[in-house]
Amino acid sequence: MEESSEVDGAGSSTPGCSSIDYSRTISELSSFSEQSSSDEHTSTPWPAGKLLLRSPHLLNKLGMKQNVDMMRERFSKLLLGEDMSGGGKGVCSAVAISNAITNLYATVFGQFWRLEPLSPEKKAMWRREMDCLLCVCDYIVEFYPSVQNLQDGTTLEVMGTRPRSDLYINLPALEKLDAMLIEILESFEKTEFWYVDDGDRSPSANISRSFQRAVKKNEEKWWRPIPCLPAYGLTANCRKDLQQKRDCANQIHKAAMAINGGILAEMEVPDSYIATLPKSGRTGIGEATYRGLSSVEQFSSDHLLDSLGISTDHEAVEAADRIEASMYVWRRKSNLSCSASKSSWDMVKEFMQDVDKSSMLASRAQTLLFSLKQRYPGLSQTTLDSMKIQYNVDVGQAILESYSRVLESLAFNLVSYIDDLLYIDESIKKR
């Protein structure tokens, strides 16, 4: 899994996102279906009148057959592990279904650059294909001891099944967050703002463009359309409504990010990542950061981040990789037990002091990493997160991780686009 693609807005990298073809739109599917139906009609000896008077029940059966064919095609690609040659060199099912969810998101929301409702075709595609991908979770269960009563009055101890706890808790929550985000998008049907392309030279576009250039993050996304507002700005009701939607989307982003972080934390650390860890956490994290972490004074992650002088997202990702690698070095060292050869009390005491210091450094590094991700919410995945996704073999975790990641990206984009509108409105009213 060497390739990676970046979901627009959230900046989160995903291995192998382009390996499954989800580029066909619903309209193309419809035209293909109509063409095949017309070919069938011309080849059949039935009279045309009987074809036009077919019962709705038969039409429903034909529509169901098309959906079954579509599901068969999707699951066939998943079973092949994205290796269409059938040679068994494809990825595991967990990575394949993770890539399928990411590719579906890129197809539906890849050009989501405006605050407006989704087209009915894309909305139907998102619902239909997500239902197909999530239905796998219905068969992921865990065993628990139970008692079965027989008709003759005897009882048997048997193992029953129930939905796996992580899926039972997180999947309904993600589906609720998904519905809330779609509902927010649907509410942007009649708005006081509009969008123009970058080549538009109208006065309103020039005003918005001048305000937009003041926002550094928009310089990196020059291809996005320019939001335009009336000359007097937004009305009080519209601004209040936008602020409420912004707060709602921000809470959804935090919830999706928390679920994603929890799932990634539960994934096993690949052996290939352990092999790349530095021999010393001090050399891996850098001397300046190490002094801040090992300081005997009261530790402040925000103060230490300020002293690092991180100015770009690229520098933030590099810092996160170094902090995370050193954290695992110290964590592995703190988990070591006393060796049987250390019989001398002085040697044991010295060893335990090193273990306590490593545990403290690992805990502070984890706090620093959390603060860094909070300060840069659109930070792309670290090397460890990418490798966890790449080498994960748990299908349930793959579904929860990818589903929460794409919802996090969509919520982040919503917040970002609403912030642009509020910024332009505030700039207009300050003139």
Side-chain angles (χ1 to χ4, degrees):
M1 303 296 297
E2 299 178 355
E3 297 180 359
S4 64
S5 70
E6 196 170 89
V7 178
D8 184 35
S12 58
S13 60
T14 306
C17 294
S18 60
S19 51
I20 294 183
D21 182 14
Y22 276 90
S23 59
R24 182 186 294 178
T25 61
I26 297 297
S27 59
E28 291 172 341
L29 287 173
S30 300
S31 61
F32 177 79
S33 301
E34 291 173 1
Q35 182 179 358
S36 61
S37 299
S38 62
D39 294 341
E40 180 185 0
H41 296 169
T42 55
S43 60
T44 181
W46 293 353
K50 290 186 178 182
L51 290 175
L52 295 176
L53 296 176
R54 285 184 300 180
S55 64
H57 181 67
L58 182 57
L59 292 176
N60 291 335
K61 282 187 175 181
L62 291 176
M64 185 181 300
K65 182 180 182 300
Q66 294 170 3
N67 290 334
V68 170
D69 292 341
M70 182 270 296
M71 292 178 61
R72 182 182 299 168
E73 176 187 356
R74 298 291 186 263
F75 280 105
S76 297
K77 293 181 178 180
L78 292 177
L79 289 174
L80 286 171
E82 304 176 9
D83 177 23
M84 303 310 167
S85 67
K89 299 180 181 180
V91 298
C92 67
S93 300
V95 178
I97 200 168
S98 175
N99 291 342
I101 293 177
T102 305
N103 289 333
L104 176 61
Y105 173 81
T107 301
V108 177
F109 298 100
Q111 295 184 347
F112 167 62
W113 299 330
R114 306 167 185 258
L115 293 175
E116 60 184 11
L118 278 178
S119 64
E121 293 81 6
K122 287 190 174 182
K123 184 178 178 181
M125 172 187 282
W126 176 254
R127 294 297 189 204
R128 183 182 64 249
E129 300 200 11
M130 279 304 300
D131 288 342
C132 294
L133 295 171
L134 296 180
C135 71
V136 181
C137 298
D138 297 338
Y139 303 94
I140 301 177
V141 296
E142 61 185 6
F143 292 96
Y144 71 99
S146 63
V147 177
Q148 182 179 3
N149 297 319
L150 300 181
Q151 293 180 356
D152 58 0
T154 59
T155 59
L156 293 176
E157 293 184 358
V158 297
M159 296 299 292
T161 59
R162 61 189 176 191
R164 209 171 73 180
S165 57
D166 58 342
L167 293 170
Y168 183 77
I169 294 173
N170 292 317
L171 188 57
L174 291 174
E175 290 177 331
K176 180 63 176 178
L177 297 179
D178 185 358
M180 292 172 65
L181 287 174
I182 298 298
E183 184 179 354
I184 293 177
L185 285 177
E186 294 298 317
S187 65
F188 290 110
E189 187 173 3
K190 296 181 180 180
T191 60
E192 297 181 4
F193 55 88
W194 64 97
Y195 292 87
V196 296
D197 295 329
D198 187 58
D200 194 309
R201 299 301 174 185
S202 61
S204 60
N206 290 331
I207 294 175
S208 296
R209 187 180 291 105
S210 63
F211 292 142
Q212 193 181 31
R213 287 172 179 170
V215 186
K216 292 183 179 180
K217 61 182 180 180
N218 284 336
E219 295 179 358
E220 303 173 358
K221 307 294 183 181
W222 53 267
W223 61 84
R224 291 180 181 173
I226 302 172
C228 295
L229 276 64
Y232 53 83
L234 299 173
T235 61
N237 291 335
C238 181
R239 184 177 179 86
K240 181 180 178 180
D241 182 62
L242 281 175
Q243 188 64 48
Q244 290 177 349
K245 293 175 182 177
R246 192 258 181 206
D247 295 339
C248 181
N250 189 43
Q251 293 300 319
I252 294 174
H253 175 262
K254 291 181 179 179
M257 186 168 59
I259 294 176
N260 186 263
I263 298 301
L264 285 172
E266 293 177 359
M267 289 183 178
E268 295 183 1
V269 179
D271 294 335
S272 56
Y273 178 78
I274 300 297
T276 62
L277 290 177
K279 295 182 178 180
S280 170
R282 182 172 184 171
T283 57
I285 204 171
E287 192 65 30
T289 309
Y290 178 79
R291 287 198 303 266
L293 290 177
S294 59
S295 175
V296 295
E297 301 178 357
Q298 186 176 3
F299 171 71
S300 173
S301 58
D302 292 332
H303 178 72
L304 181 55
L305 282 178
D306 293 337
S307 64
L308 295 180
I310 299 174
S311 57
T312 63
D313 290 345
H314 180 70
E315 294 177 354
V317 173
E318 290 183 345
D321 281 335
R322 292 194 303 268
I323 295 171
E324 198 165 41
S326 298
M327 179 185 70
Y328 273 92
V329 171
W330 290 320
R331 185 174 294 175
R332 284 168 55 85
K333 186 176 181 180
S334 65
N335 290 336
L336 296 176
S337 59
C338 291
S339 174
S341 61
K342 294 182 178 293
S343 57
S344 171
W345 169 246
D346 293 335
M347 296 177 66
V348 171
K349 185 171 64 173
E350 181 182 355
F351 179 79
M352 293 306 297
Q353 288 176 352
D354 291 340
V355 170
D356 292 340
K357 184 177 181 181
S358 298
S359 178
M360 179 201 69
L361 290 173
S363 177
R364 289 186 174 183
Q366 185 176 8
T367 304
L368 180 63
L369 181 63
F370 179 78
S371 300
L372 180 63
K373 291 182 177 180
Q374 288 290 325
R375 183 171 294 191
Y376 297 89
L379 199 65
S380 60
Q381 291 172 339
T382 61
T383 301
L384 176 58
D385 291 342
S386 299
M387 295 184 71
K388 280 184 174 182
I389 297 172
Q390 179 181 353
Y391 293 99
N392 173 51
V393 296
D394 189 301
V395 175
Q397 288 182 342
I399 291 175
L400 292 177
E401 189 282 325
S402 56
Y403 196 12
S404 60
R405 171 163 39 84
V406 298
L407 293 182
E408 177 186 340
S409 175
L410 179 58
F412 179 85
N413 288 340
L414 272 174
V415 173
S416 177
Y417 298 163
I418 294 177
D419 282 342
D420 290 345
L421 288 171
L422 295 177
Y423 173 81
I424 295 176
D425 177 62
E426 184 179 358
S427 302
I428 290 177
K429 293 178 178 178
K430 282 184 178 179
R431 287 189 303 167

